[in-house]
Amino acid sequence: MMTKERMDSIKEVLKPKIVEKLIGEDKVELRGDEVVLKGEYYKKQVRIALKNCDIVDPTNIEEYIAFDGYYALYDSLTKKKPGDIVEEIKNSLLRGRGGAGFPTGRKWDEAYRYQADKKYIICNADEGDPGAFMDRSILEKDPHSVLEGMALGGYAIGSDQGYIYVRAEYPMAVKRLEIAIKQAREYGLLGENIFGTGFNFDIELRLGSGAFVCGEGTALMESIEGRRGMPRPKIHRTAHVGLWGKPTIINNVETLANVPVIINKGYEWFRGIGTEESPGTKVFALVGKVENAGLVEVPMGMTLREIIFDIGGGAQDGKEYKAVQTGGPSGGCIPADLIDTPVDFESLGKIWSIMGSGGMVVMDENTCMVDIAKFFLDFSVEESCGKCVPCREGTKRMYEILDRITKGEGVEGDIERLEELSETVSSASLCGLGQTAPNPVITTLKYYRHEYEDHIHNKSCPAKSCKPLIKYFIEDTCIGCTRCAKACPVSCISGKVKELHVIDQSMCIKCGACYDVCPVKPIKAVSII
Amino acid sequence: MSTVKLTIDGKVAEVSSELTVLQAARSIGIDIPALCYDETLEIFGACRMCIVEIEGSNKLQTSCSTLVKNGMIVHTETDRIKSTRKDIVQMLLDSHPNDCLTCQKSGECLLQDYAYRYDANFRNHHGAMRPQLMDTSSPYILRDNSKCILCGKCVLTCYQVSDRQVLSFSERGYDTKVVFGADQTIEESPCVSCNRCVAVCPVGALVDKRQLGKIRNWDGNTTVVMCKACEYGCEFEVYSRNKENIAVTAKAPSNGRPLCLKGRLATELKYLENPDKPYIKINERFEETTWDKALGITELIEKINRLEKDNKEEEE
């Protein structure tokens, strides 16, 4: 059985050793008494959910304990009542980090108050937004923070059984979780009579099979129950009637990783970070055409500019920054002139996007917004479970229209038809996936309507990205270096050395290889029209 | 069980607190349209036709899956609802073949009814259509995937009988389809031809093949009869025209009544002058058979014949 004394002695011996080693490797520095990762990239970050990532060894439970791990669980089980934990989380105003931002404490309170012989807590680790890898990093690098968060949730609502629904495409996360659960059982931190308090709690893994929609709570439960992963109508609250008809709470990985820290440091501390209505931090996967791509954890309320430019270093290759997409296939594109918007649930909602689970895709001047909308719609069409009519049929029709427009086959009335379909799909779909699937179209239509109009009326792509609408052309500034001709994969460029080269338009596949290699400065001789 | 009072389209309903808004509305004669709702089946929430507006919320809510509450004020046919329903029907029609003229289901098809009610029509477009996968392998059921609206009723009703559970969904998104067994033909699958699925299908995706081309809903009279093959007493409809009985079809199963092939054949034999030949499945193949074999009464008939013969001999 694990005791406080044993944890203290592990911490006393191990922590100095780990810190010494990491400082020796020049990986970390001390910020106050906190050990943080060293480097310019981390300076503006505040890490709560990621606090142990790249610091502790995820395959060694003792290293997690050395960094205050399982102390929140110990304190809670020995000194606090379940209701106290619920109150603490409620007071912290922690909101779900999986996308919708529902107050975690309220969810727990519902399940806590509902009497039942069995309750469940589920960790939703079915992260699926394109380009998102926040939860994956936590699971791979700090799995115990999630296990401890779940045990605390279990104690709070009166559950003795947790499930982690993790996607099978994350083999490393699955492996690390398996190791972590095994070690936690060995150390008496999961299983029966934890810390000798009589509290029992265990966790099992359930592997998803690659359906995005299984990240939706009710579809996730259907999947755990062994049925086809399709959302079910919410006649009752999941906190009352959930998995196998029992009260269930479902929390996202990052939400759960916040819980032990909040319990350790108190809700006042947590509310001192971030904004009044969205306290704490949020992890983002900063990807796309950005200089420093990677995971960032920043206090809520930090502006997009600080995240994309100060931390991310702006657009790649000196190109002009155009927009950022937040919230994945459910989110929206935020144009450059709104770059000073603070990132929190309310502010992003006001500009028609959402916080989402943390995907942040940076786009530059060569990104076509119609094409982006098409990309996300394609994803939604592909991932729709096919159950409800608006999502199954409506997203397909929206995609077909967008596909036409990007091929230069758009017709009068397409924009209006897109708007009508968006309205029906978002207001009548069964689950969040369908209800939010039109968002990428709605926001790009709102902010970049002229790009749609250019495609439809002028058959041109302003970002010069849609291949059927562009032509590569060699200007007479060509120096005849022959590089383009050599790079062309279909050999459609002719011309002698030191003479003007010509592209045979009938053969050109518009791959852009000639443009990339053209050495003429400052303006390339290959132009896109 | 407590009762609640709510207002639906200006009418006051006093109903059990366990009812859904849709049930409450129907109980006072307000017909909220629904393609996937069936009171005998699990609430599925797929068709979205039963959306209503409830005062205090901006969201459209499906009345099949919303429980009544005291003081609730519900509107079931506002402009917003009507236009959304029209869009939903239109979406279904855009994937549906325009063949009501020859469809067996015409006249009793819910999609047809709602297209009429919300003024939606077939139209030409260049987009995708549901692929035509016609399954003609069974003498009892004709399956036409191109007409399926994926309401799920067939899957759910088949699921209710624990030793059947033959139907399920396969693929996803626009490619979603209902399959028999492991995406087999009806003949190859473990389907027992009970026709539960046919009885609940709201469109022409699953039709009774023995009725096909003989008579349609409006084209004669129907009489409900009770099957006498076992104590369940499942109901069948006998279709007749000019006093001649033409076809027998299964009515939707209810109150735990399972429906079965034997009962259906027995009912056919009883009511039809010239029933089609019976078939039974042997080693995943439908084979024509005799009535006594189909009804499993060969031994009984032999015995009856023998006893009668003995009796006659004794009398002589």
Side-chain angles (χ1 to χ4, degrees):
Chain A
M1 192 174 74
M2 182 52 79
T3 59
K4 173 98 175 352
E5 291 68 38
R6 198 169 150 207
M7 295 212 301
D8 284 343
S9 74
I10 290 172
K11 187 175 168 182
E12 206 175 310
V13 177
L14 202 53
K15 190 170 180 182
K17 274 191 196 165
I18 300 168
V19 175
E20 193 185 336
K21 175 173 158 275
L22 290 171
I23 289 180
E25 291 168 357
D26 202 26
K27 276 189 180 161
V28 300
E29 59 189 4
L30 295 172
R31 198 186 283 172
D33 56 354
E34 303 235 343
V35 183
V36 298
L37 292 170
K38 196 174 169 182
E40 201 56 39
Y41 189 67
Y42 302 103
K43 278 227 168 98
K44 277 206 151 187
Q45 298 195 34
V46 175
R47 293 193 155 200
I48 298 175
L50 301 177
K51 75 181 177 71
N52 289 330
C53 293
D54 297 316
I55 293 174
V56 303
D57 175 359
T59 61
N60 183 351
I61 190 171
E62 294 200 353
E63 294 208 1
Y64 179 70
I65 293 171
F67 282 79
D68 304 323
Y70 291 108
Y71 275 82
L73 185 63
Y74 174 80
D75 286 344
S76 302
L77 295 188
T78 54
K79 296 169 200 157
K80 293 172 189 166
K81 293 195 185 99
D84 300 338
I85 311 295
V86 173
E87 277 308 303
E88 189 79 21
I89 297 300
K90 263 170 91 177
N91 287 333
S92 76
L93 301 183
L94 174 66
R95 298 174 63 168
R97 302 303 198 231
F102 189 83
T104 308
R106 261 172 58 197
K107 208 184 256 186
W108 288 21
D109 199 29
E110 287 285 348
Y112 165 67
R113 286 172 192 283
Y114 201 81
Q115 295 300 318
D117 56 340
K118 187 90 183 170
K119 297 180 185 178
Y120 296 102
I121 174 165
I122 300 173
C123 169
N124 184 347
D126 195 46
E127 180 173 58
D129 283 5
F133 48 94
M134 299 76 58
D135 297 345
R136 175 184 183 168
S137 297
I138 296 171
L139 296 173
E140 289 182 0
K141 294 175 175 180
D142 194 19
H144 285 285
S145 66
V146 179
L147 304 190
E148 191 183 359
M150 287 179 75
L152 285 162
Y155 180 62
I157 66 159
S159 159
D160 62 355
Q161 179 65 57
Y163 289 98
I164 301 178
Y165 189 86
V166 56
R167 57 193 305 217
E169 296 91 325
Y170 282 177
M172 181 62 86
V174 173
K175 199 174 151 197
R176 296 267 162 89
L177 280 169
E178 281 169 351
I179 295 170
I181 291 170
K182 187 166 168 270
Q183 289 185 350
R185 284 183 189 146
E186 282 166 9
Y187 280 69
L189 295 162
L190 284 179
E192 290 189 357
N193 197 17
I194 298 169
F195 289 118
T197 60
F199 174 63
N200 308 329
F201 187 75
D202 210 347
I203 295 174
E204 281 180 39
L205 292 185
R206 285 289 180 273
L207 266 55
S209 318
F212 176 72
V213 74
C214 286
E216 198 274 347
T218 58
L220 188 155
M221 291 188 291
E222 288 278 295
S223 178
I224 291 182
E225 289 174 13
R227 309 217 269 180
R228 177 181 161 95
M230 292 194 299
R232 48 195 189 204
K234 280 188 183 162
I235 302 164
H236 305 277
R237 289 189 180 134
T238 302
H240 296 169
V241 182
L243 188 64
W244 288 303
K246 300 293 178 187
T248 303
I249 52 172
I250 306 177
N251 289 126
N252 158 269
V253 171
E254 189 185 333
T255 314
L256 289 166
N258 270 284
V259 168
V261 191
I262 294 171
I263 300 294
N264 267 338
K265 298 193 175 182
Y267 73 87
E268 287 110 337
W269 167 83
F270 187 74
R271 280 171 62 173
I273 301 163
T275 66
E276 206 172 308
E277 284 177 74
S278 307
T281 58
K282 179 76 194 86
V283 183
F284 290 101
L286 191 58
V287 296
K289 306 283 179 63
V290 65
E291 199 61 42
N292 309 319
L295 270 196
V296 295
E297 183 171 355
V298 295
M300 297 269 191
M302 186 179 265
T303 64
L304 285 166
R305 184 188 296 281
E306 286 175 279
I307 298 172
I308 295 163
F309 285 88
D310 298 354
I311 299 175
Q316 262 173 0
D317 307 327
K319 285 192 179 168
E320 198 182 324
Y321 164 75
K322 181 172 180 180
V324 63
Q325 209 275 356
T326 65
S330 306
C333 288
I334 302 167
D337 57 359
L338 292 172
I339 184 102
D340 288 310
T341 307
V343 178
D344 56 61
F345 290 101
E346 292 74 30
S347 308
L348 289 179
K350 275 181 205 152
I351 57 171
W352 302 89
S353 189
I354 62 162
M355 174 79 85
S357 64
M360 206 175 248
V361 187
V362 176
M363 294 158 194
D364 68 16
E365 54 189 295
N366 293 127
T367 313
C368 168
M369 300 319 269
V370 187
D371 195 44
I372 284 295
K374 183 176 121 178
F375 169 83
F376 282 110
L377 247 295
D378 186 28
F379 182 85
S380 295
V381 169
E382 192 72 23
E383 295 297 341
S384 164
C385 75
K387 182 174 180 180
C388 80
V389 181
C391 175
R392 180 184 71 233
E393 310 281 332
T395 57
K396 177 85 175 173
R397 299 303 171 206
M398 290 177 74
Y399 174 81
E400 285 173 353
I401 296 173
L402 292 167
D403 189 46
R404 267 210 326 265
I405 296 176
T406 55
K407 283 179 177 155
E409 293 160 10
V411 294
E412 203 69 47
D414 272 350
I415 293 181
E416 291 71 21
R417 184 78 195 121
L418 276 176
E419 284 172 334
E420 282 167 27
L421 282 165
S422 296
E423 168 61 27
T424 305
V425 175
S426 52
S427 66
S429 288
L430 168 59
C431 81
L433 188 151
Q435 286 159 13
T436 59
N439 283 359
V441 178
I442 295 171
T443 54
T444 49
L445 268 174
K446 183 172 172 60
Y447 297 118
Y448 300 94
R449 200 183 185 91
H450 58 278
E451 291 199 17
Y452 282 81
E453 287 165 347
D454 266 342
H455 281 77
I456 295 169
H457 305 307
N458 309 327
K459 308 293 174 212
S460 81
C461 173
K464 304 208 185 304
S465 147
C466 294
K467 282 184 182 172
L469 300 178
I470 56 170
K471 267 185 191 169
Y472 286 86
F473 186 79
I474 301 175
E475 307 277 350
D476 49 17
T477 52
C478 173
I479 54 171
C481 70
T482 73
R483 280 200 210 177
C484 57
K486 283 176 192 152
C488 179
V490 292
S491 305
C492 74
I493 303 179
S494 56
K496 289 179 182 154
V497 180
K498 293 190 179 171
E499 281 178 18
L500 177 66
H501 280 52
V502 179
I503 298 173
D504 179 349
Q505 297 296 339
S506 66
M507 284 171 69
C508 175
I509 57 164
K510 297 164 188 176
C511 68
C514 52
Y515 181 85
D516 290 342
V517 297
C518 179
V520 180
K521 281 178 182 167
I523 299 166
K524 292 185 183 232
V526 178
S527 65
I528 312 168
I529 52 173
Chain B
M1 195 172 71
S2 56
T3 59
V4 298
K5 218 175 188 176
L6 72 162
T7 313
I8 308 174
D9 293 345
K11 280 193 195 173
V12 176
E14 232 179 312
V15 297
S16 153
S17 62
E18 287 167 8
L19 290 196
T20 61
V21 173
L22 186 141
Q23 289 168 327
R26 289 191 176 178
S27 77
I28 55 166
I30 294 170
D31 177 28
I32 298 179
L35 290 162
C36 71
Y37 175 79
D38 184 317
E39 59 186 14
T40 66
L41 301 174
E42 191 184 321
I43 293 169
F44 199 51
C47 76
R48 321 307 287 168
M49 282 296 285
C50 71
I51 42 165
V52 293
E53 286 192 82
I54 297 172
E55 286 190 13
S57 166
N58 281 331
K59 281 188 170 177
L60 297 173
Q61 298 182 55
T62 43
S63 55
C64 71
S65 61
T66 306
L67 293 174
V68 291
K69 268 191 198 149
N70 223 358
M72 218 176 215
I73 303 174
V74 184
H75 302 281
T76 74
E77 289 278 344
T78 63
D79 288 347
R80 185 181 176 204
I81 292 169
K82 281 194 266 189
S83 104
T84 308
R85 285 189 190 145
K86 179 177 178 172
D87 282 355
I88 292 171
V89 175
Q90 188 66 60
M91 284 176 186
L92 290 170
L93 292 181
D94 282 348
S95 287
H96 196 93
N98 178 0
D99 73 343
C100 297
L101 288 179
T102 52
C103 182
Q104 178 63 40
K105 198 75 181 183
S106 188
E108 53 180 336
C109 168
L110 267 186
L111 184 62
Q112 202 179 42
D113 289 352
Y114 294 149
Y116 180 73
R117 179 161 161 185
Y118 294 101
D119 191 27
N121 217 328
F122 290 112
R123 59 184 181 190
N124 291 328
H125 62 85
H126 299 292
M129 296 283 284
R130 211 161 298 293
Q132 278 223 316
L133 296 168
M134 188 84 89
D135 182 349
T136 56
S137 68
S138 160
Y140 298 108
I141 300 170
L142 179 69
R143 176 165 63 129
D144 184 349
N145 178 61
S146 68
K147 292 182 188 170
C148 178
I149 57 167
L150 295 164
C151 68
K153 281 182 182 172
C154 55
V155 176
L156 294 175
T157 196
C158 191
Y159 190 80
Q160 282 179 337
V161 186
S162 59
D163 59 352
R164 295 184 193 167
Q165 305 190 337
V166 177
L167 274 65
S168 61
F169 290 104
S170 167
E171 307 290 337
R172 65 185 185 203
Y174 194 79
D175 301 326
T176 307
K177 59 181 179 179
V178 170
V179 297
F180 279 68
D183 201 355
Q184 293 156 302
T185 62
I186 299 175
E187 188 173 48
E188 291 160 350
S189 78
C191 170
V192 295
S193 310
C194 69
N195 278 36
R196 287 170 73 91
C197 54
V198 174
V200 295
C201 181
V203 294
L206 290 165
V207 297
D208 191 318
K209 210 168 165 194
R210 286 162 87 87
Q211 183 195 5
L212 195 67
K214 292 179 181 162
I215 189 165
R216 282 198 280 192
N217 176 264
W218 71 76
D219 193 22
N221 300 314
T222 55
T223 319
V224 176
V225 297
M226 197 181 274
C227 173
K228 300 282 192 304
C230 76
E231 70 270 27
Y232 277 115
C234 300
E235 290 176 334
F236 288 84
E237 260 176 340
V238 181
Y239 281 72
S240 60
R241 190 196 292 130
N242 302 330
K243 291 183 182 164
E244 188 198 350
N245 289 344
I246 292 168
V248 166
T249 62
K251 266 181 81 71
S254 60
N255 300 330
R257 290 173 186 146
L259 289 179
C260 70
L261 178 60
K262 201 184 279 180
R264 177 235 167 85
L265 289 174
T267 312
E268 273 191 15
L269 191 60
K270 182 172 175 192
Y271 291 96
L272 301 187
E273 281 307 312
N274 295 302
D276 288 345
K277 284 179 181 132
Y279 292 81
I280 49 171
K281 214 190 249 187
I282 299 166
N283 297 329
E284 297 172 4
R285 287 283 170 268
F286 279 109
E287 286 179 14
E288 195 185 312
T289 186
T290 55
W291 282 97
D292 56 321
K293 275 187 189 154
L295 298 173
I297 51 171
T298 315
E299 279 178 37
L300 297 183
I301 289 178
E302 278 171 5
K303 197 160 187 180
I304 291 170
N305 288 343
R306 182 171 59 78
L307 290 173
E308 281 181 355
K309 200 176 147 202
D310 291 351
N311 279 345
K312 260 184 202 166
E313 279 168 7
E314 268 173 37
E315 279 170 23
E316 282 163 12

